[in-house]
Amino acid sequence: MAAGIDDIAIYIPQLYVEASDFAKARGLDPEKLERGLGIGQMAIVDTNQDPACLASNACLNVMQKNKLSPDEIGRLYVATESAFDESKAMNSYVIGMLEQVYGEGTFGHCGGIECKFACVSGSYALYDNTNWIRAGEAEGKYALVVVSDIAKYDLGSSGEVTQGAGAIAMLLNDNPRLLAFDPKVTSTSIKNEYDFYRPFGKETPIVHGQYSNLLYLIQVKNALIDYKRKVINTGLIKLKEGETILDHVDYLNMHLPYSNMGKKALAYLVRHEWRDLPRWKKIIEKIGMDEPTPKDPRGTIESVLADAEFMAKDHQFTKLFTNTEEYVELYESKLSSSLIGSKMIGNLYTASLYLGFRSSLEFEYQKGVNLNGKRVGFCSYGSGASAMIFSGIIQPEYEQVVKDMNLEAEIGPRTKLSLEEYEDLHENKRSPENNIRSANKEFILVDVNTSTESRGERQYTFVS
Ligand code: CAA
């Protein structure tokens, strides 16, 4: 049975910080943010927004767009890194908000949980719900998978430039207009790691930045090796002499904590895939240097990062490789459109990969590309650490969904924050009612209870 994404909707907070303002305030070269990391603007939440509001707004958008009633939704999953309760699942808050619009008890039949595994949990939620549909348990109903996050790092930390906020709701069914997932090829890797984690009660993560970058690459590569085995064993892709599976994937979407991480990851995976192919000889000749290897090729991530000579040479090699016409052609055709949304909005943790997919659809369509039948690969990564690779085929009816996509219009009018306003919001110095922007046709947070017996209870309202 086919199963996949029928439609997709976003909700992005309208407050933002401009990367150049941010660089100036932190004494950084704006070029590092704009060219080095690929950051343009970072969406920031107002005092009256939390990840549950963002998720509810994205759900409402997708339901209203498709004129769906709650009895057509069988499952509602929320995947997030920004959980604010250790027990009560975020989807229960979302259902509470949606019932303010659709009526009390209207989602009573609907199942679902909150999923956690840093930025990869949305992909596990998609996979589980796809299998719910494939198993024939959906009885013709849709599953709604929502990825929602506020990416927040400590003031002055190296991760502070990679913040952002937003939610994406994906509507799944057995007759998807947008994308049908390839069956039996979803592949994962997993390892107990401390690259990025957020102990109980802490609002911002503890991060080992360079370690997390390299771990991301290794974990995604490990999942890709398994994906390759599965696509070949199932006969989904038949490789001819000298080919790699990447030749059979038209678009690649990477997890994007910042947009240049997508470029970095693509280069790493392509190097891995091309290294043993006849085409590599020509590339090496063009580059004019051999691919470097660490002093201890079987060493740890720490030993590789500490190998300064290797790191410098590898950096040089990557730069030369990513300037070759072979790589540029692949990057422009398979990845570049997916990075536009990330540059405009920033890091969305669980939603970053799906913002990339959403962005790729809009900007490839605008180029006039016929997307019907194109294979899309997804490379998902969550710290802690797990990667998931899967793929799907764009469906003949995709145009019905993609033709009206317009990220700028869907975000709506944006308000640029001064650095002072941003820092006050970041440090929770403003009270919830002291919001900067007026809400319009959306859910907002109105209260978080502080009494002993009901501490943490949240009240939301829909502003019509
Ligand atoms: N002009 C142009 N480019 C410049 C520059 C300048 N003046 N100065 C630096 N750059 C370039 C660097 O060359 C580098 O490019 P390459 O990656 O191509 O080499 C890039 O800008 C970044 O520079 P640094 O690596 O020196 O930056 P940094 O030390 O400040 O750290 C970071 C970058 C590690 C990503 C940091 O922002 C961070 O810790 N972020 C949070 C963790 C994170 O996002 N990790 C990603 C993988 S883990 C994950 O993905 C899970 C998740 O969502 C959190």
Side-chain angles (χ1 to χ4, degrees):
M1 184 190 281
I5 305 175
D6 186 65
D7 200 359
I8 184 166
I10 61 168
Y11 177 85
I12 306 296
Q14 291 171 326
L15 302 182
Y16 74 96
V17 178
E18 189 69 48
S20 52
D21 295 349
F22 183 85
K24 204 151 106 204
R26 295 284 176 270
L28 298 169
D29 181 353
E31 285 289 292
K32 173 176 173 179
L33 273 67
E34 280 153 39
R35 278 197 316 115
L37 294 161
I39 296 162
Q41 290 90 30
M42 293 186 278
I44 304 289
V45 282
D46 210 333
T47 55
N48 55 8
Q49 294 179 309
D50 69 6
C53 290
L54 309 183
S56 303
N57 288 323
C59 282
L60 190 62
N61 285 347
V62 86
M63 287 186 66
Q64 290 184 333
K65 194 173 153 204
N66 290 281
K67 298 188 175 54
L68 294 177
S69 64
D71 49 293
E72 292 171 274
I73 311 290
R75 277 185 152 200
L76 198 159
Y77 270 52
V78 179
T80 186
E81 190 280 339
S82 327
F84 47 70
D85 194 286
E86 315 297 1
S87 170
K88 186 171 156 58
M90 198 178 287
N91 58 328
S92 62
Y93 297 85
V94 172
I95 278 167
M97 279 183 253
L98 292 173
E99 288 191 350
Q100 289 187 29
V101 173
Y102 290 100
E104 183 137 8
T106 47
F107 281 84
H109 59 280
C110 194
I113 53 165
E114 174 188 312
C115 303
K116 171 166 73 183
F117 204 139
C119 310
V120 73
S121 60
S123 303
Y124 279 94
L126 263 188
Y127 180 60
D128 290 355
N129 280 284
T130 300
N131 286 333
W132 174 70
I133 293 167
R134 284 180 178 144
E137 299 211 32
E139 298 174 304
K141 292 191 199 302
Y142 292 91
L144 245 178
V145 173
V146 201
V147 276
S148 179
D149 266 310
I150 298 171
K152 183 168 180 175
Y153 290 84
D154 286 335
L155 284 187
S157 68
S158 69
E160 194 192 1
V161 296
T162 67
Q163 299 181 113
I168 297 190
M170 289 171 279
L171 197 59
L172 308 187
N173 71 354
D174 59 4
N175 186 22
R177 287 170 296 166
L178 199 51
L179 180 107
F181 290 120
D182 289 327
K184 299 181 181 171
V185 294
T186 296
S187 301
T188 51
S189 67
I190 197 160
K191 193 162 186 273
N192 177 29
E193 288 279 3
Y194 279 99
D195 57 323
F196 166 112
Y197 61 105
R198 193 162 63 82
F200 278 165
K202 196 169 180 318
E203 206 188 18
T204 50
I206 297 170
V207 192
H208 306 292
Q210 300 301 343
Y211 188 98
S212 71
N213 275 349
L214 185 52
L215 183 63
Y216 167 130
L217 301 177
I218 293 168
Q219 287 299 323
V220 169
K221 181 199 71 185
N222 290 346
L224 183 71
I225 292 169
D226 202 41
Y227 175 81
K228 187 155 74 172
R229 179 184 65 75
K230 286 186 171 178
V231 293
I232 292 170
N233 285 353
T234 57
L236 185 75
I237 293 176
K238 290 184 177 53
L239 287 189
K240 294 199 202 90
E241 187 79 22
E243 282 186 344
T244 139
I245 42 163
L246 299 182
D247 300 336
H248 294 259
V249 181
D250 301 292
Y251 293 107
L252 278 156
N253 291 294
M254 304 289 174
H255 167 52
L256 300 174
Y258 51 95
S259 76
N260 278 9
M261 188 68 209
K263 268 189 197 169
K264 240 189 205 319
L266 182 69
Y268 187 85
L269 294 182
V270 173
R271 276 171 65 178
H272 178 262
E273 282 300 304
W274 286 7
R275 193 171 287 135
D276 295 325
L277 300 181
R279 67 185 87 167
W280 194 238
K281 199 165 160 256
K282 195 167 137 208
I283 303 272
I284 293 294
E285 276 166 19
K286 271 193 185 173
I287 293 176
M289 73 184 275
D290 284 335
E291 195 175 17
T293 47
K295 278 194 195 94
D296 178 4
R298 302 179 137 263
T300 60
I301 292 180
E302 286 95 340
S303 74
V304 172
L305 291 173
D307 187 345
E309 193 187 333
F310 164 75
M311 290 302 287
K313 276 197 181 148
D314 196 64
H315 194 257
Q316 187 193 359
F317 183 89
T318 306
K319 287 274 169 252
L320 293 169
F321 172 59
T322 52
N323 283 332
T324 60
E325 65 183 299
E326 289 84 350
Y327 178 81
V328 170
E329 200 274 311
L330 185 139
Y331 163 77
E332 289 296 342
S333 62
K334 293 187 199 277
L335 183 77
S336 61
S337 291
S338 72
L339 307 183
I340 299 170
S342 170
K343 280 185 196 143
M344 290 163 69
I345 295 164
N347 192 356
L348 303 186
Y349 287 161
T350 52
S352 293
L353 175 68
Y354 301 100
L355 176 64
F357 173 50
R358 166 69 187 67
S359 173
S360 161
L361 291 168
E362 176 176 335
F363 296 106
E364 285 300 299
Y365 182 72
Q366 276 181 16
K367 281 186 195 166
V369 178
N370 178 3
L371 298 175
N372 184 16
K374 300 279 188 209
R375 172 160 286 125
V376 182
F378 295 83
C379 301
S380 193
Y381 174 71
S383 293
S386 177
M388 181 185 277
I389 300 217
F390 52 102
S391 55
I393 300 288
I394 298 190
Q395 298 298 291
E397 302 80 15
Y398 78 91
E399 214 169 343
Q400 289 174 30
V401 180
V402 174
K403 68 178 181 1
D404 297 325
M405 284 183 170
N406 183 331
L407 267 180
E408 238 175 69
E410 287 164 51
I411 298 172
R414 301 179 88 179
T415 304
K416 186 169 119 164
L417 295 171
S418 68
L419 252 290
E420 199 184 359
E421 286 170 321
Y422 153 72
E423 289 188 3
D424 281 354
L425 284 169
H426 189 287
E427 297 302 288
N428 306 320
K429 285 187 180 155
R430 297 173 80 110
S431 55
E433 59 283 1
N434 194 11
N435 48 302
I436 292 180
R437 199 194 125 251
S438 304
N440 181 22
K441 297 192 184 66
E442 62 195 295
F443 296 105
I444 55 163
L445 174 69
V446 285
D447 185 49
V448 184
N449 198 311
T450 50
S451 71
T452 315
E453 62 282 6
S454 303
R455 190 178 147 221
E457 267 189 28
R458 288 177 182 236
Q459 304 296 327
Y460 300 91
T461 193
F462 184 72
V463 181
S464 46

